[in-house]
Amino acid sequence: MRPVWKGMLSFGLVNVPVTLYKATRSKTISFNQLRKSDFSRIQYKRVAGDGAEVPASEIVKGYKLSEDRYVVISDTDLESIAPKASRQIEISDFVKLDEIDNRYYDSSYYLVPDQGAGKAYALLLQGMTEANVVGIAKFVLRNKEYLAAIRPADNIITLSTMLFADEIVSAKELENDLPSNVDLSEKELNMAKTLIDSLITSFDPSKYQNEYHKQVMAMIETKAGNEMTVSTPVDTSPYFADLMSALEASMAAIKKTEAKKKSTRKPKSKSA
């Protein structure tokens, strides 16, 4: 795997040489646009408001102030205020894991110790694990400054880039779209709690598959082999007229499934 960044992870006076690797792989499927008649690839030209094509050398960056007013920003302007490239991730604070709202987490990476840094790395990893804390740091990656959360997971130190506070949309902005003054009967609430309790299990991420991605890839492979199959998905989701009906039907379905599982289990053989 190709490293993304190399440098020093530090807390207090302890420095740990580390390498940063991406912890995720994108599963996005992208398509090119083609001309239907001969499948030649569509290309785009940069044109101005008058329709004239503009060469790359004539294009500048502009920040829109109003419909016909822009502030022109040059590459030199941006370079003058760009964060200085750094090979340091310095943990400034440790906070309790449950104090961080999950909305702040963005992209995930692994921090791997460089040669000779094993002991210091293990010290930080175990220390954070036992204290159940997350390290908060800032660092520069590809000329951009990031806020980051350093935390242990599966015997490795992970780094999650984080959104800044002003990037989080407050729930108050949507309060007019949220239900208010809703009367819930005790029967409805108890039924909902029972349903929720019956569905509680341990989280197993491998249990959840990207079915759409698999179907698209299967279709592509089939069409690439000059074979075409069309399947019509069947909507099996029931429609319920009211909340109680939905809760009761969900409970009945779960009980039916559990009863079916019990009936299909083989009885244990009796020992002679």
Side-chain angles (χ1 to χ4, degrees):
M1 188 182 292
R2 184 185 252 175
V4 176
W5 181 94
K6 284 179 73 74
M8 203 73 68
L9 173 63
S10 65
F11 61 107
L13 300 177
V14 179
N15 293 305
V16 188
V18 291
T19 302
L20 189 71
Y21 293 91
K22 289 203 76 170
T24 58
R25 290 188 179 97
S26 174
K27 284 286 189 176
T28 302
I29 299 175
S30 60
F31 296 97
N32 292 320
Q33 291 187 325
L34 310 174
R35 185 165 57 190
K36 186 177 181 180
S37 60
D38 60 2
F39 304 130
S40 60
R41 179 126 175 227
I42 302 299
Q43 297 181 353
Y44 293 91
K45 295 180 179 180
R46 299 178 178 90
V47 296
D50 57 4
E53 186 175 354
V54 183
S57 60
E58 292 295 316
I59 296 176
V60 297
K61 296 182 179 72
Y63 182 85
K64 188 174 182 178
L65 295 177
S66 60
E67 197 54 43
D68 56 356
R69 289 188 63 215
Y70 292 85
V71 174
V72 175
I73 304 294
S74 69
D75 290 340
T76 304
D77 292 330
L78 293 174
E79 288 168 7
S80 67
I81 58 172
K84 300 249 187 269
S86 171
R87 290 296 169 191
Q88 188 88 3
I89 301 175
E90 185 175 357
I91 297 175
S92 58
D93 303 289
F94 285 104
V95 301
K96 288 294 183 182
L97 178 61
D98 58 10
E99 290 183 359
I100 302 178
D101 189 317
N102 288 333
R103 289 175 295 179
Y104 282 91
Y105 292 125
D106 194 10
S107 300
S108 297
Y109 299 86
Y110 291 128
L111 283 167
V112 177
D114 288 346
Q115 191 171 6
K119 187 170 185 178
Y121 183 91
L123 179 68
L124 178 58
L125 176 62
Q126 187 169 335
M128 286 196 298
T129 301
E130 293 185 3
N132 192 31
V133 294
V134 176
I136 304 298
K138 281 185 180 180
F139 79 113
V140 177
L141 176 64
R142 300 191 188 99
N143 298 320
K144 182 179 177 181
E145 185 178 57
Y146 289 90
L147 184 66
I150 317 293
R151 50 184 173 158
D154 293 335
N155 205 33
I156 192 171
I157 295 177
T158 68
L159 180 149
S160 296
T161 55
M162 301 177 71
L163 301 172
F164 288 96
D166 59 0
E167 295 178 288
I168 302 296
V169 176
S170 171
K172 289 183 178 180
E173 295 183 36
L174 301 170
E175 61 184 357
N176 291 334
D177 298 312
L178 299 177
S180 60
N181 300 322
V182 177
D183 292 325
L184 297 175
S185 70
E186 187 175 350
K187 184 178 179 183
E188 289 172 330
L189 194 54
N190 288 337
M191 186 71 78
K193 285 174 165 181
T194 303
L195 174 57
I196 291 168
D197 287 341
S198 69
L199 294 172
I200 291 175
T201 184
S202 298
F203 178 60
D204 177 10
S206 63
K207 173 181 171 184
Y208 310 99
Q209 301 292 321
N210 189 338
E211 297 298 337
Y212 176 73
H213 180 273
K214 291 194 319 192
Q215 289 175 7
V216 172
M217 290 307 300
M219 180 183 64
I220 289 171
E221 290 173 11
T222 301
K223 289 180 72 82
N226 293 322
E227 295 179 12
M228 181 69 175
T229 58
V230 179
S231 61
T232 305
V234 179
D235 184 7
T236 59
S237 58
Y239 174 81
F240 299 104
D242 58 78
L243 179 61
M244 279 303 298
S245 297
L247 292 169
E248 290 169 352
S250 298
M251 287 300 302
I254 288 171
K255 288 177 181 177
K256 186 177 179 181
T257 302
E258 289 177 348
K260 189 176 180 181
K261 285 180 181 177
K262 287 179 182 178
S263 65
T264 55
R265 286 180 191 154
K266 294 181 180 179
K268 294 182 180 178
S269 57
K270 295 182 180 180
S271 56

PDB file of all heavy atoms in Angstrom, residues 195-205 207-208 261:
ATOM      1  N   LEU A 195     -39.551  -3.799  20.343  1.00  0.00           N
ATOM      2  CA  LEU A 195     -39.048  -4.043  18.999  1.00  0.00           C
ATOM      3  C   LEU A 195     -37.557  -3.736  18.905  1.00  0.00           C
ATOM      4  O   LEU A 195     -36.765  -4.517  18.358  1.00  0.00           O
ATOM      5  CB  LEU A 195     -39.829  -3.191  17.991  1.00  0.00           C
ATOM      6  CG  LEU A 195     -39.340  -3.210  16.542  1.00  0.00           C
ATOM      7  CD1 LEU A 195     -39.312  -4.629  15.998  1.00  0.00           C
ATOM      8  CD2 LEU A 195     -40.209  -2.312  15.674  1.00  0.00           C
ATOM      9  N   ILE A 196     -37.148  -2.596  19.461  1.00  0.00           N
ATOM     10  CA  ILE A 196     -35.737  -2.206  19.439  1.00  0.00           C
ATOM     11  C   ILE A 196     -34.889  -3.221  20.190  1.00  0.00           C
ATOM     12  O   ILE A 196     -33.833  -3.658  19.706  1.00  0.00           O
ATOM     13  CB  ILE A 196     -35.565  -0.790  20.031  1.00  0.00           C
ATOM     14  CG1 ILE A 196     -36.172   0.258  19.090  1.00  0.00           C
ATOM     15  CG2 ILE A 196     -34.090  -0.483  20.281  1.00  0.00           C
ATOM     16  CD1 ILE A 196     -36.303   1.630  19.695  1.00  0.00           C
ATOM     17  N   ASP A 197     -35.348  -3.624  21.388  1.00  0.00           N
ATOM     18  CA  ASP A 197     -34.602  -4.597  22.187  1.00  0.00           C
ATOM     19  C   ASP A 197     -34.415  -5.911  21.438  1.00  0.00           C
ATOM     20  O   ASP A 197     -33.372  -6.557  21.525  1.00  0.00           O
ATOM     21  CB  ASP A 197     -35.317  -4.867  23.510  1.00  0.00           C
ATOM     22  CG  ASP A 197     -35.201  -3.694  24.485  1.00  0.00           C
ATOM     23  OD1 ASP A 197     -34.303  -2.855  24.289  1.00  0.00           O
ATOM     24  OD2 ASP A 197     -36.017  -3.626  25.423  1.00  0.00           O
ATOM     25  N   SER A 198     -35.426  -6.325  20.692  1.00  0.00           N
ATOM     26  CA  SER A 198     -35.355  -7.601  19.980  1.00  0.00           C
ATOM     27  C   SER A 198     -34.370  -7.556  18.813  1.00  0.00           C
ATOM     28  O   SER A 198     -33.934  -8.595  18.317  1.00  0.00           O
ATOM     29  CB  SER A 198     -36.743  -7.985  19.450  1.00  0.00           C
ATOM     30  OG  SER A 198     -37.145  -7.109  18.414  1.00  0.00           O
ATOM     31  N   LEU A 199     -34.034  -6.351  18.346  1.00  0.00           N
ATOM     32  CA  LEU A 199     -33.111  -6.210  17.212  1.00  0.00           C
ATOM     33  C   LEU A 199     -31.689  -5.878  17.640  1.00  0.00           C
ATOM     34  O   LEU A 199     -30.801  -5.750  16.791  1.00  0.00           O
ATOM     35  CB  LEU A 199     -33.622  -5.106  16.265  1.00  0.00           C
ATOM     36  CG  LEU A 199     -34.945  -5.406  15.550  1.00  0.00           C
ATOM     37  CD1 LEU A 199     -35.431  -4.174  14.805  1.00  0.00           C
ATOM     38  CD2 LEU A 199     -34.793  -6.571  14.598  1.00  0.00           C
ATOM     39  N   ILE A 200     -31.444  -5.717  18.947  1.00  0.00           N
ATOM     40  CA  ILE A 200     -30.106  -5.374  19.424  1.00  0.00           C
ATOM     41  C   ILE A 200     -29.175  -6.565  19.250  1.00  0.00           C
ATOM     42  O   ILE A 200     -29.508  -7.692  19.616  1.00  0.00           O
ATOM     43  CB  ILE A 200     -30.140  -4.935  20.904  1.00  0.00           C
ATOM     44  CG1 ILE A 200     -30.857  -3.577  21.038  1.00  0.00           C
ATOM     45  CG2 ILE A 200     -28.720  -4.822  21.472  1.00  0.00           C
ATOM     46  CD1 ILE A 200     -31.041  -3.110  22.464  1.00  0.00           C
ATOM     47  N   THR A 201     -28.013  -6.322  18.664  1.00  0.00           N
ATOM     48  CA  THR A 201     -27.016  -7.367  18.452  1.00  0.00           C
ATOM     49  C   THR A 201     -25.631  -6.723  18.428  1.00  0.00           C
ATOM     50  O   THR A 201     -25.510  -5.505  18.540  1.00  0.00           O
ATOM     51  CB  THR A 201     -27.282  -8.105  17.121  1.00  0.00           C
ATOM     52  OG1 THR A 201     -26.350  -9.182  16.991  1.00  0.00           O
ATOM     53  CG2 THR A 201     -27.137  -7.171  15.932  1.00  0.00           C
ATOM     54  N   SER A 202     -24.602  -7.523  18.299  1.00  0.00           N
ATOM     55  CA  SER A 202     -23.244  -6.989  18.176  1.00  0.00           C
ATOM     56  C   SER A 202     -23.030  -6.500  16.752  1.00  0.00           C
ATOM     57  O   SER A 202     -23.511  -7.121  15.797  1.00  0.00           O
ATOM     58  CB  SER A 202     -22.206  -8.068  18.517  1.00  0.00           C
ATOM     59  OG  SER A 202     -22.357  -8.487  19.853  1.00  0.00           O
ATOM     60  N   PHE A 203     -22.297  -5.411  16.608  1.00  0.00           N
ATOM     61  CA  PHE A 203     -22.069  -4.841  15.287  1.00  0.00           C
ATOM     62  C   PHE A 203     -21.045  -5.670  14.526  1.00  0.00           C
ATOM     63  O   PHE A 203     -19.917  -5.857  14.970  1.00  0.00           O
ATOM     64  CB  PHE A 203     -21.589  -3.392  15.407  1.00  0.00           C
ATOM     65  CG  PHE A 203     -21.282  -2.758  14.070  1.00  0.00           C
ATOM     66  CD1 PHE A 203     -22.258  -2.646  13.105  1.00  0.00           C
ATOM     67  CD2 PHE A 203     -20.010  -2.278  13.791  1.00  0.00           C
ATOM     68  CE1 PHE A 203     -21.986  -2.075  11.868  1.00  0.00           C
ATOM     69  CE2 PHE A 203     -19.726  -1.695  12.571  1.00  0.00           C
ATOM     70  CZ  PHE A 203     -20.716  -1.593  11.606  1.00  0.00           C
ATOM     71  N   ASP A 204     -21.445  -6.183  13.375  1.00  0.00           N
ATOM     72  CA  ASP A 204     -20.558  -6.942  12.491  1.00  0.00           C
ATOM     73  C   ASP A 204     -20.607  -6.286  11.117  1.00  0.00           C
ATOM     74  O   ASP A 204     -21.537  -6.517  10.339  1.00  0.00           O
ATOM     75  CB  ASP A 204     -21.021  -8.399  12.403  1.00  0.00           C
ATOM     76  CG  ASP A 204     -20.176  -9.212  11.436  1.00  0.00           C
ATOM     77  OD1 ASP A 204     -19.126  -8.710  10.987  1.00  0.00           O
ATOM     78  OD2 ASP A 204     -20.575 -10.353  11.119  1.00  0.00           O
ATOM     79  N   PRO A 205     -19.610  -5.437  10.783  1.00  0.00           N
ATOM     80  CA  PRO A 205     -19.674  -4.693   9.526  1.00  0.00           C
ATOM     81  C   PRO A 205     -19.712  -5.578   8.290  1.00  0.00           C
ATOM     82  O   PRO A 205     -20.263  -5.187   7.256  1.00  0.00           O
ATOM     83  CB  PRO A 205     -18.406  -3.827   9.552  1.00  0.00           C
ATOM     84  CG  PRO A 205     -17.523  -4.430  10.583  1.00  0.00           C
ATOM     85  CD  PRO A 205     -18.410  -5.100  11.568  1.00  0.00           C
ATOM     86  N   LYS A 207     -21.469  -8.024   7.797  1.00  0.00           N
ATOM     87  CA  LYS A 207     -22.848  -8.464   7.594  1.00  0.00           C
ATOM     88  C   LYS A 207     -23.584  -7.581   6.587  1.00  0.00           C
ATOM     89  O   LYS A 207     -24.550  -7.996   5.957  1.00  0.00           O
ATOM     90  CB  LYS A 207     -23.558  -8.439   8.959  1.00  0.00           C
ATOM     91  CG  LYS A 207     -25.040  -8.714   8.947  1.00  0.00           C
ATOM     92  CD  LYS A 207     -25.557  -8.625  10.372  1.00  0.00           C
ATOM     93  CE  LYS A 207     -27.080  -8.680  10.426  1.00  0.00           C
ATOM     94  NZ  LYS A 207     -27.588  -8.490  11.789  1.00  0.00           N
ATOM     95  N   TYR A 208     -23.120  -6.347   6.431  1.00  0.00           N
ATOM     96  CA  TYR A 208     -23.800  -5.376   5.579  1.00  0.00           C
ATOM     97  C   TYR A 208     -23.012  -5.204   4.282  1.00  0.00           C
ATOM     98  O   TYR A 208     -21.870  -4.754   4.299  1.00  0.00           O
ATOM     99  CB  TYR A 208     -23.940  -4.034   6.308  1.00  0.00           C
ATOM    100  CG  TYR A 208     -24.516  -4.196   7.696  1.00  0.00           C
ATOM    101  CD1 TYR A 208     -23.690  -4.208   8.812  1.00  0.00           C
ATOM    102  CD2 TYR A 208     -25.877  -4.374   7.881  1.00  0.00           C
ATOM    103  CE1 TYR A 208     -24.201  -4.389  10.082  1.00  0.00           C
ATOM    104  CE2 TYR A 208     -26.405  -4.552   9.150  1.00  0.00           C
ATOM    105  CZ  TYR A 208     -25.567  -4.560  10.251  1.00  0.00           C
ATOM    106  OH  TYR A 208     -26.081  -4.744  11.504  1.00  0.00           O
ATOM    107  N   LYS A 261     -36.483 -20.490  12.954  1.00  0.00           N
ATOM    108  CA  LYS A 261     -35.112 -20.898  13.245  1.00  0.00           C
ATOM    109  C   LYS A 261     -35.101 -22.062  14.233  1.00  0.00           C
ATOM    110  O   LYS A 261     -34.345 -23.014  14.093  1.00  0.00           O
ATOM    111  CB  LYS A 261     -34.313 -19.720  13.811  1.00  0.00           C
ATOM    112  CG  LYS A 261     -33.915 -18.681  12.783  1.00  0.00           C
ATOM    113  CD  LYS A 261     -33.133 -17.558  13.429  1.00  0.00           C
ATOM    114  CE  LYS A 261     -32.744 -16.502  12.414  1.00  0.00           C
ATOM    115  NZ  LYS A 261     -32.046 -15.361  13.058  1.00  0.00           N
TER     116      LYS A 261
END
